[in-house]
Amino acid sequence: MCARTHTHTHTTCTYTLPNIHVLSYFSSVPEEVPAIISSSVTNKSTDRGVIRHLINIMFNTPNKAHFTLELLYPETCSPLKKCPLFMTQTNHRRWALIGISRGYAAAVYPGADSNDQTDPFRLAYPKSTWGLIRRRAWLASRAVDYLVTLDFIDSNKIAITGHSRNGKQSMIAAAFDDRFAAVISSSSGVPAMSPYRFTSAFTFSESPSSAWPNAPSNLNCTCTRTPDHRPPVPQCCWWLPSVTQFEGRENEIPIDSHGLLALIAPRFMLSECAWTDPCDPSFAVERSYATGREVYRFLNVSDRLRIHYRPGQHHGFEDLENYFDWYDVAFGLGSASSRDFPEELLHNFDWDVWNSSAATSHPDVPKAMASIEERISWMLGEGPAGPVWSPGGSYAVEYHGYIDDMLAKGSELYEVSDGVVKMTVNFGRYIYGNVYYPEHYSKKSIPAVIWLHPFSYQGGYVENYSHDSQRMYKQLALEGFLVLAYDQVGFGERLLDGTPSKFYKRYPNWSLLGSMVQDVRSAIDFLAADPKGSHPDGLPVFSFYHSHYPSIQTDHIYVIGYSLGGLVALHSAVFDSRIAGVASLAGFTPLRDDSLSSRTGGNRRLYEWHALVPRLGWFQGKATKIPYDFDDILVYLKDTSVLVYSPKSDRTADFQAVQRVIDSVGNRAPNNSLTFAISSYLNQVNDQMQTATVTWLHGLHHIGSESLDTL
């Protein structure tokens, strides 16, 4: 934290960190803050009751580093009527104008891509390892050093905010400088409000190796990861480049970004998030929030930490007036109160509450001799009747284009790109999806694949930060398959349909996993239906597009899933014999072997964190009594072609335990149709995983393929 000494012209600040591990990627800053040696107003004007100053502030560094700050404040601000201070970066200057209308003084500092004046300080302190984001946060504190000397500024009421990378620096600034009494993190993403542990490649989100944007063009340096004609300097990367060493083992980072919340407490902190923001997944945000909330509760100020959701994606729909309502609450201004900011979460499933609810039934556990269908059905719970057979239809498809565009699924309902046709469809219980198929195909009918995504709450089946050369669903289409991809319940455009609080209020004795399995059956109904046949749901897709997708080889429908999708795929294959083959890509770790629970989250990850299958929680501490495990499923599917793809470096699974499952299947059903592919790569959808999947699929069609022993 910041231990300060004051003079009449400046503040000297010496940092003592509560935990040295915070430096793991935020890096080090100068041990002492340079004194302000001069400040001069280079431009002054008054317009419509607002005073504007441009102020050049120079510091006592070897190179006399300086920067220009813009200060705007109402004429009514005075020593007798001090104004609260709002701070933001250059590209959010118009946000400051809202603050002025609410009675705030506003300081706009040059810590943005469009105006970055941090480089003189990088040159002045070559021993500091700070990256670009950390340096900008430090610059915000240097602006405060000057601003608190102004007699019309209330130094106890300083607020800061920024969006995206500027939201990151705002959180960091507040974490390391307690003069910021309130902060709003607007879609700050990883590693700020979203911790690496709950994002990263296995959720289709940002990971330590995701490409960081390069340093702004006005800086005479470049990030070593994305070199250009400028000299490569690690301090011009967002974070320490060494953070990439934690790719695939994010759980080993000494402390994750949720530690920022502990440093900000007990001050006011609001996380502004979008439902489908690829940079700031709601599940990751809420895992960070849940940890930070413990600190706020310990300090008896739990109402000072909140999440506020907005619709849409990373940009847009920012509720800026609401930002200042939050600041008013923090500073005791206006009519807003903490009651205006109730705790409203999307993933707040309390298993104990569900378990003790009068609506929750507790049927007897099936006997060991019960069929695998009975045992799995018991675990999935009692779902509603149906779904009734449906071939799909075109009703309202024409209004879905803006959603596809927002979620990066394509800008048109029907489009051709790089040899792949994409067509938006609707099937089952009013589920939107897209079919992808080769633009040119010679056969009368082609095989089909249902592609199931991982725990990617923010975008469903779209890879927001890809690690492959081509998206899996497009690659499979290029290989000659028709691919149906859709967002599973509780993800992407169906996020709000599957929030645990809503779902289990409606279906207290069912499960999200059961609903996902039901949706796979509806997807097969759609694919297996004659597109030119009877359409009880109204107008067929043809009536809208005036074009048919290829006829499907109904005896060659495959279900392929990654992570969560692999889990759903295996369960679905037990209940639908129309599935000719199933691929589980990094899809499971054994249920009865919970030995790595500290790393993977164990079964609790499934029954509480993701609220996927609540009945699994009845076996916490007695996992060996779970009615079935994945070896039982694979033995049952011995006559179905199955691919199990297992990366050795998978922090979400116990590879040795998976290996034991495969060995068990070999012993119990030696003549099975199981292919076990071992990968030496990380757990991510990459080219190696695609190669394994395509090779397996082509092998089923007797097309020449390479070995799948170890990739």
Side-chain angles (χ1 to χ4, degrees):
M1 299 301 287
C2 176
R4 293 186 293 275
T5 57
H6 301 275
T7 72
H8 69 286
T9 60
H10 69 276
T11 299
T12 298
C13 183
T14 302
Y15 287 94
T16 56
L17 301 181
N19 191 325
I20 195 67
H21 290 316
V22 174
L23 299 179
S24 57
Y25 40 75
F26 293 146
S27 60
S28 66
V29 298
E31 292 184 0
E32 291 193 0
V33 170
I36 297 173
I37 57 176
S38 70
S39 60
S40 58
V41 178
T42 60
N43 188 287
K44 181 178 181 179
S45 61
T46 302
D47 182 30
R48 305 176 194 178
V50 177
I51 298 173
R52 175 178 182 263
H53 288 179
L54 287 181
I55 307 154
N56 185 270
I57 308 169
M58 183 175 291
F59 293 82
N60 186 23
T61 64
N63 59 351
K64 299 297 185 288
H66 60 91
F67 65 88
T68 299
L69 176 75
E70 182 180 19
L71 178 64
L72 306 116
Y73 59 96
E75 287 182 309
T76 54
C77 296
S78 71
L80 296 179
K81 188 181 179 182
K82 296 177 182 289
C83 284
L85 177 65
F86 170 74
M87 293 185 62
T88 193
Q89 308 78 28
T90 304
N91 53 333
H92 303 314
R93 181 180 183 271
R94 292 185 297 281
W95 294 12
L97 305 186
I98 299 173
I100 295 168
S101 69
R102 297 284 291 264
Y104 286 72
V108 181
Y109 66 93
D113 284 357
S114 59
N115 182 16
D116 187 308
Q117 297 180 29
T118 65
D119 216 37
F121 297 96
R122 173 181 68 86
L123 299 173
Y125 298 104
K127 293 183 180 180
S128 296
T129 61
W130 50 6
L132 197 58
I133 302 297
R134 181 70 178 93
R135 194 159 57 252
R136 290 173 178 175
W138 184 88
L139 191 77
S141 290
R142 303 293 67 78
V144 172
D145 292 345
Y146 167 79
L147 292 164
V148 295
T149 67
L150 304 178
D151 59 7
F152 57 86
I153 296 295
D154 190 336
S155 60
N156 294 315
K157 296 175 181 175
I158 301 177
I160 188 170
T161 194
H163 184 79
S164 192
R165 65 197 67 176
N166 294 338
K168 301 179 198 293
Q169 64 163 296
S170 297
M171 279 188 74
I172 295 169
F176 290 99
D177 189 339
D178 56 16
R179 293 174 295 180
F180 293 106
V183 58
I184 294 178
S185 163
S186 179
S187 294
S188 59
V190 185
M193 196 59 202
S194 294
Y196 277 129
R197 280 166 169 77
F198 295 102
T199 55
S200 297
F202 69 93
T203 67
F204 285 171
S205 189
E206 192 171 356
S207 71
S209 71
S210 298
W212 305 327
N214 207 345
S217 59
N218 68 298
L219 301 186
N220 186 33
C221 60
T222 182
C223 178
T224 54
R225 299 180 63 200
T226 51
D228 54 25
H229 64 280
R230 298 172 292 175
V233 179
Q235 287 88 342
C236 287
C237 295
W238 280 19
W239 320 112
L240 285 173
S242 57
V243 72
T244 60
Q245 298 172 7
F246 291 99
E247 179 76 20
R249 54 187 187 95
E250 295 85 357
N251 57 300
E252 297 178 18
I253 297 175
I255 187 169
D256 217 327
S257 56
H258 62 285
L260 292 174
L261 297 179
L263 295 177
I264 293 170
R267 289 164 289 146
F268 285 78
M269 164 68 201
L270 177 69
S271 176
E272 167 79 11
C273 306
W275 291 328
T276 52
D277 188 339
C279 307
D280 212 23
S282 58
F283 180 78
V285 167
E286 292 192 14
R287 294 310 306 166
S288 183
Y289 174 87
T291 304
R293 182 175 56 188
E294 295 305 308
V295 180
Y296 277 79
R297 284 176 174 173
F298 175 77
L299 298 172
N300 200 30
V301 289
S302 57
D303 60 349
R304 295 186 182 183
L305 177 66
R306 285 290 183 265
I307 297 173
H308 178 258
Y309 283 110
R310 67 180 191 275
Q313 230 230 28
H314 188 57
H315 292 285
F317 297 101
E318 294 93 344
D319 190 354
L320 296 174
E321 290 284 1
N322 190 62
Y323 288 16
F324 288 94
D325 290 342
W326 176 254
Y327 294 140
D328 281 355
V329 171
F331 301 148
L333 304 174
S335 59
S337 74
S338 58
R339 293 188 298 274
D340 297 321
F341 292 88
E343 184 178 67
E344 295 179 343
L345 305 176
L346 299 177
H347 308 280
N348 57 329
F349 181 66
D350 188 321
W351 185 87
D352 290 323
V353 171
W354 169 86
N355 187 45
S356 60
S357 170
T360 302
S361 62
H362 291 72
D364 292 337
V365 180
K367 302 294 185 182
M369 67 282 296
S371 69
I372 185 67
E373 296 102 313
E374 290 178 285
R375 286 177 279 157
I376 294 179
S377 294
W378 177 89
M379 186 68 78
L380 299 184
E382 294 85 44
V388 176
W389 175 83
S390 164
S394 65
Y395 174 76
V397 164
E398 64 266 36
Y399 301 111
H400 197 259
Y402 73 96
I403 297 178
D404 266 9
D405 192 21
M406 180 182 70
L407 294 179
K409 296 175 180 176
S411 57
E412 302 292 338
L413 296 172
Y414 180 96
E415 60 186 16
V416 181
S417 175
D418 299 324
V420 174
V421 179
K422 172 240 174 184
M423 180 186 292
T424 300
V425 298
N426 189 285
F427 65 94
R429 295 179 301 167
Y430 209 64
I431 302 169
Y432 282 99
N434 286 298
V435 293
Y436 299 86
Y437 56 90
E439 180 182 8
H440 304 291
Y441 54 94
S442 57
K443 298 181 179 179
K444 292 183 179 179
S445 61
I446 62 176
V449 168
I450 297 170
W451 168 240
L452 301 175
H453 59 74
F455 290 103
S456 43
Y457 289 94
Q458 70 283 359
Y461 76 82
V462 173
E463 298 170 63
N464 301 120
Y465 290 84
S466 63
H467 293 264
D468 47 12
S469 303
Q470 178 68 272
R471 300 295 192 270
M472 177 71 89
Y473 48 91
K474 286 191 175 181
Q475 185 61 43
L476 293 175
L478 289 171
E479 296 290 340
F481 295 84
L482 181 143
V483 181
L484 171 60
Y486 61 90
D487 295 347
Q488 299 183 83
V489 61
F491 295 85
E493 64 183 85
R494 300 173 69 194
L495 174 71
L496 300 183
D497 293 340
T499 59
S501 59
K502 288 183 179 179
F503 184 88
Y504 290 107
K505 185 176 181 179
R506 295 164 178 158
Y507 308 107
N509 294 302
W510 201 19
S511 66
L512 282 165
L513 180 58
S515 180
M516 293 172 186
V517 169
Q518 190 179 92
D519 287 346
V520 171
R521 303 193 74 177
S522 294
I524 297 172
D525 289 343
F526 167 72
L527 291 173
D530 181 357
K532 301 177 183 178
S534 172
H535 280 77
D537 293 356
L539 295 175
V541 171
F542 171 78
S543 67
F544 177 67
Y545 292 111
H546 305 290
S547 174
H548 289 292
Y549 50 82
S551 295
I552 303 300
Q553 296 176 9
T554 56
D555 56 344
H556 289 289
I557 297 176
Y558 306 96
V559 182
I560 299 175
Y562 169 59
S563 181
L564 165 65
L567 183 78
V568 175
L570 287 172
H571 282 77
S572 299
V574 171
F575 295 100
D576 203 314
S577 60
R578 294 173 296 177
I579 297 176
V582 58
S584 176
L585 311 176
F588 69 87
T589 193
L591 301 175
R592 292 173 180 152
D593 189 332
D594 212 12
S595 59
L596 291 184
S597 59
S598 62
R599 189 184 80 187
T600 65
N603 290 334
R604 184 184 178 196
R605 178 177 59 130
L606 302 179
Y607 72 75
E608 184 165 48
W609 290 1
H610 296 289
L612 196 63
V613 52
R615 288 185 178 181
L616 188 60
W618 291 340
F619 301 92
Q620 185 62 31
K622 44 186 178 181
T624 57
K625 298 185 180 298
I626 295 173
Y628 72 95
D629 210 336
F630 290 98
D631 54 341
D632 299 311
I633 292 177
L634 294 173
V635 168
Y636 179 79
L637 297 176
K638 62 184 179 63
D639 297 323
T640 301
S641 296
V642 177
L643 169 65
V644 173
Y645 178 95
S646 183
K648 286 185 175 180
S649 300
D650 181 0
R651 69 180 179 89
T652 69
D654 182 343
F655 174 78
Q656 298 301 326
V658 173
Q659 179 77 66
R660 289 193 292 272
V661 164
I662 300 302
D663 292 342
S664 172
V665 174
N667 293 329
R668 294 170 58 188
N671 297 317
N672 61 71
S673 299
L674 171 64
T675 300
F676 182 43
I678 303 171
S679 171
S680 58
Y681 293 88
L682 296 173
N683 175 12
Q684 52 189 220
V685 177
N686 51 29
D687 291 347
Q688 292 73 32
M689 184 180 286
Q690 283 193 7
T691 298
T693 305
V694 170
T695 301
W696 171 74
L697 280 171
H698 284 332
L700 300 181
H701 288 268
H702 309 294
I703 299 174
S705 62
E706 58 190 272
S707 173
L708 270 180
D709 293 335
T710 300
L711 298 175

